[in-house]
């Protein structure tokens, strides 16, 4: 079976190279809908997901911003941390401004200066990030974190890990982590933060986009040099740590825990948006996503989550980039099982079955798909290792708690919308209706003297402030005349009114 991949919405040449290596076919026409996989760099909306067929695949989940945006990640992790304070202690103390400003302000009351790192809510590649010790330097709207000033150092340099994670399905939740990844080094020797070096981003930040601009940045020229320079192999890093007496098995298990716990926070939102966009899909397999988790290791060898990238860079500027990213992407594409398509159409069943039978048939299709999917994943997992589902029961508690947090936040958002907008609109409509409801002429678009015959009555529309003329009777009273005579079966304009018009 020929597999067609639409790459019209990606900037990375490596995607096309991988597809050719797999002997699949590429299309670059954005209007072409006859594809099996659509690979894009931008986020996916529920409306676009709803347009896809059951057999098609796309490399994003709607709703992933619940962990990929810095403000949403902080808000969700802090919410579930209140329920599981010990389990969710793997991220820095965080404030989301402006809502946490009062708490942040109280941190500056101590005489001992503390260092904070300020990040824009939704930017990437280190844009807009800076360190400060002054409250007045902090923008009104941003994410502020306590700066972790005691990182684990190699060659005197600070570094972080880029771990590639495959979210293969949200219902059931399936998470894989790849053995290949990147280690990104700062380009200036690390010193504890002080007033003189807070502005040295190449010392305190490990973002590749920032450090590659430093003349000191060193690329590795071949795969044999995968632990040299300022971008190194994740696999080689763990070999180095193991040689230096670090319990790498426990460290990697801690990293896997961070990844799984973080994605558990997003799962309720992902399932809701997926099912509302694809209510007739029994597989839950249209979406998949390769995420980039940025992990810092502190001096006590404890991993700390920095952020989650929903569209990690797949630029290939070195032999190490090409090797790692090709493996990450090609292994993910192979695990989709596009080559072994199963008939999962329910259209014919809907016309022949009752509601109960459709539910049973739907469940049978889902089980059939999951069985075939397990076989495909076992054969084609490549460098990926499944980390969820697993045998640890506590993760089910995390998922239940995440759903409760999501429902509470959804309810709070609706109440906020009602208090700020919907109730006001309702009141204004009510008042407007009450004020304008005075006489029939306020609902007429034409003034009374414009009505020339009974045939024009059918054309009467809304008018705001018209009034019929007032006549003076012989007994000295001013009265408003009748507009219509109802004595006959046919409505006609009264003679008294027609004389005045």
């Amino acid at each position: 079976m020929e597999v067609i991949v639409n790459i019209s919405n990606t900037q990375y040449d490596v995607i096309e190279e991988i597809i050719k290596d797999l002997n699949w076919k590429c299309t670059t026409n954005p209007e072409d809908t006859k594809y099996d996989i659509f690979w894009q760099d931008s986020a996916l909306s529920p409306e676009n997901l709803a347009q896809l067929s059951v057999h098609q695949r796309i490399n994003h989940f709607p709703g992933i911003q619940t962990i990929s945006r810095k403000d949403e990640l902080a808000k969700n992790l802090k919410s579930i941390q209140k329920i599981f304070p010990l389990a969710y202690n793997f991220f820095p103390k965080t404030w989301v401004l402006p809502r946490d400003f009062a708490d942040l302000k109280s941190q500056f009351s101590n005489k001992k200066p503390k260092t904070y790192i300020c990040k824009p809510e939704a930017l990437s590649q280190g844009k807009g990030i800076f360190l400060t010790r002054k409250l007045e330097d902090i923008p009104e709207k941003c994410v502020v974190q306590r700066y972790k000033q005691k990182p684990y150092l190699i060659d005197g340099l600070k570094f972080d890990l880029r771990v590639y994670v495959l979210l293969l399905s949200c219902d059931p939740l399936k998470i894989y982590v790849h053995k290949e990844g990147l280690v990104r080094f700062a380009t200036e020797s690390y010193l504890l933060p002080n007033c003189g070096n807070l502005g040295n981003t190449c010392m305190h930040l490990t973002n590749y986009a920032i450090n590659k601009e430093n003349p000191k940045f060193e690329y590795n020229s071949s795969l044999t040099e995968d632990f040299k320079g300022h971008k190194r192999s994740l696999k080689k890093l763990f070999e180095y740590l193991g040689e230096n007496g670090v319990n790498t098995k426990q460290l990697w298990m801690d990293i896997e825990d961070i990844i799984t716990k973080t994605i558990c926070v997003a799962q309720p939102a992902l399932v809701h948006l997926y099912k509302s966009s694809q209510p007739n899909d029994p597989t839950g397999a249209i979406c998949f996503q390769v995420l980039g988790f940025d992990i810092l290791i502190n001096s006590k060898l404890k991993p700390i989550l920095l952020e989650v990238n929903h569209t990690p860079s797949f630029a290939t500027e070195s032999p190490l980039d090409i090797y790692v990213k090709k493996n990450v992407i090609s292994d993910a594409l192979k695990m989709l099982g596009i080559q072994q398509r199963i008939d999962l159409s329910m259209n014919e069943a809907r016309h022949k079955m009752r509601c109960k039978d459709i539910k049973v048939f739907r469940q049978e299709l889902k089980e059939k798909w999951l069985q075939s999917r397990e076989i495909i994943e076992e054969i084609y997992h490549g460098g990926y290792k499944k980390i969820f589902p697993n045998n640890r029961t506590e993760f089910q508690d995390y998922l239940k708690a995440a759903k409760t947090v999501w429902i509470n936040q959804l309810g709070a958002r609706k109440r906020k919308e009602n208090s700020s907008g919907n109730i006001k609109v309702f009141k204004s409509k009510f008042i407007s209706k009450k004020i304008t409801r005075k006489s029939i002429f306020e609902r007429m678009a034409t003034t009374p003297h414009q009505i020339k015959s009974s045939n024009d009555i059918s054309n009467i529309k809304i008018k705001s402030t018209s009034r019929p003329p007032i006549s003076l009777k012989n007994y000295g009273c001013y009265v408003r005349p009748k507009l219509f005579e109802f004595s006959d079966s046919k409505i006609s304009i009264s003679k008294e009114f027609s004389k005045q018009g």
Side-chain angles (χ1 to χ4, degrees), residues 85-150:
L86 296 179
Y88 279 82
N89 64 346
F90 52 78
F91 62 99
K93 188 170 178 58
T94 308
W95 297 266
V96 180
L97 302 187
R99 73 172 195 168
D100 296 334
F101 179 76
D103 185 27
L104 176 63
K105 186 178 180 181
S106 67
Q107 304 295 315
F108 286 84
S109 60
N110 297 327
K111 292 183 179 179
K112 185 178 179 181
K114 298 176 182 177
T115 306
Y116 298 87
I117 182 167
C118 303
K119 304 177 181 180
E121 297 174 334
L123 296 182
S124 60
Q125 298 180 335
K127 296 174 184 174
I129 299 178
F130 66 95
L131 273 64
T132 186
R133 288 182 171 181
K134 298 179 180 178
L135 180 63
E136 55 267 26
D137 292 342
I138 299 175
E140 294 181 0
K141 194 174 184 182
C142 68
V143 175
V144 182
Q145 292 181 323
R146 181 73 56 77
Y147 182 67
K148 295 294 183 180
Q149 59 184 20
K150 293 183 178 180

Side-chain angles (χ1 to χ4, degrees), residues 398-411:
Y398 302 151
L399 287 171
K400 290 177 183 177
K403 187 172 183 179
T404 302
V405 168
W406 174 72
I407 291 172
N408 289 340
Q409 290 179 350
L410 195 64

Side-chain angles (χ1 to χ4, degrees), residues 340-459:
Q340 301 179 18
R341 187 181 299 175
I342 299 173
D343 184 15
L344 297 166
S345 176
M346 295 184 64
N347 294 330
E348 187 176 344
R350 290 181 178 280
H351 299 291
K352 297 181 179 180
M353 297 182 180
R354 297 175 299 174
C355 290
K356 283 186 177 181
D357 296 334
I358 290 176
K359 290 181 180 179
V360 173
F361 180 65
R362 180 190 180 92
Q363 186 61 32
E364 289 175 353
L365 280 180
K366 187 172 184 177
E367 291 175 0
K368 180 181 178 183
W369 164 256
L370 290 175
Q371 289 174 3
S372 65
R373 187 69 177 264
E374 288 290 338
I375 297 171
I376 292 168
E377 292 169 16
E378 186 64 30
I379 296 172
Y380 296 106
H381 66 83
Y384 280 105
K385 172 194 171 185
K386 184 190 288 186
I387 60 173
F388 192 87
N390 54 40
N391 297 325
R392 295 170 58 184
T393 57
E394 63 265 30
F395 284 103
Q396 298 304 322
D397 297 331
Y398 302 151
L399 287 171
K400 290 177 183 177
K403 187 172 183 179
T404 302
V405 168
W406 174 72
I407 291 172
N408 289 340
Q409 290 179 350
L410 195 64
R413 196 178 302 126
K414 287 185 177 180
R415 287 194 298 272
K416 184 177 179 181
E417 290 173 358
N418 289 339
S419 62
S420 62
N422 293 350
I423 290 178
K424 286 184 179 180
V425 172
F426 172 78
K427 284 183 176 178
S428 64
K429 287 182 178 180
F430 176 76
I431 293 169
S432 174
K433 186 176 180 181
K434 187 174 182 180
I435 291 173
T436 58
R437 192 176 177 184
K438 292 182 178 178
S439 69
I440 190 172
F441 286 100
E442 294 175 351
R443 299 189 296 276
M444 296 173 62
T446 55
T447 54
H449 65 270
Q450 291 176 317
I451 302 175
K452 297 179 181 179
S453 66
S454 59
N455 294 330
D456 291 335
I457 295 175
S458 60
N459 297 323

Side-chain angles (χ1 to χ4, degrees), residues 482-498:
K482 298 178 181 178
L483 295 184
F484 306 108
E485 296 288 351
F486 294 91
S487 55
D488 299 329
S489 58
K490 182 179 180 181
I491 298 175
S492 61
I493 302 173
S494 66
K495 295 178 182 180
E496 182 180 358
F497 179 71
S498 61

